[in-house]
Amino acid sequence: LALLEESFKQTPKPGVLAAVTTIYLDEACRGAVLLEEHAEGLYLSKFAVGSEARGEGLAQELWAEVCEKHSAFFWRSRIGNPVNQWYDRQADGYYTTDDWMVFWRGMSADALPDLIAFCEARAPDFL
């Protein structure tokens, strides 16, 4: 939770980890990827890297590990997030809503409407 707060510069809501089914965490707890199982597929809930670890390649290492272990997943990112350009290069595609960019890798075209609807309806994870 402290890593999420540091990385996103916001306080996570209580229960933000309740649906997390898989965690990729670097050994010094400076970066993490949190995944959740959903009917739409595997949802990447959080991708967090602490400020002291930025620029060291930790994000790329975590990303590579997740992609190696999971061929298909989706995630969302706020419009205007400076990481969205990087996400665009990692994704097979994306869809823009009023508040979010919804990205996916390896997802079937049939799943896209449901995963986009899930991302639009999901409440923010931070206070």
Side-chain angles (χ1 to χ4, degrees):
L1 289 173
L3 175 62
L4 292 179
E5 189 164 348
E6 177 192 347
S7 181
F8 290 91
K9 297 184 182 11
Q10 298 179 60
T11 303
K13 286 183 176 177
V16 72
L17 302 178
V20 173
T21 56
T22 305
I23 298 174
Y24 291 85
L25 182 65
D26 102 296
E27 58 192 32
C29 200
R30 299 176 317 144
V33 178
L34 310 179
L35 302 166
E36 301 176 9
E37 294 284 341
H38 288 280
E40 298 81 5
L42 194 60
Y43 175 65
L44 190 158
S45 170
K46 294 287 167 283
F47 185 20
V49 176
S51 55
E52 78 286 347
R54 293 185 184 153
E56 295 180 5
L58 178 59
Q60 192 62 49
E61 289 177 29
L62 286 167
W63 187 261
E65 181 76 10
V66 171
C67 291
E68 181 181 317
K69 303 280 194 230
H70 307 282
S71 61
F73 57 94
F74 67 101
W75 68 99
R76 71 180 186 182
S77 178
R78 285 244 179 240
I79 296 285
N81 183 340
V83 179
N84 288 344
Q85 280 188 326
W86 186 83
Y87 281 152
D88 183 30
R89 292 190 303 272
Q90 311 308 312
D92 293 335
Y94 69 89
Y95 180 85
T96 304
T97 72
D98 289 341
D99 298 318
W100 303 101
M101 291 183 74
V102 179
F103 296 92
W104 58 86
R105 286 179 61 98
M107 303 297 295
S108 74
D110 294 342
L112 298 181
D114 289 339
L115 69 86
I116 291 166
F118 168 79
C119 287
E120 282 187 295
R122 183 181 170 100
D125 294 323
F126 296 93
L127 300 175

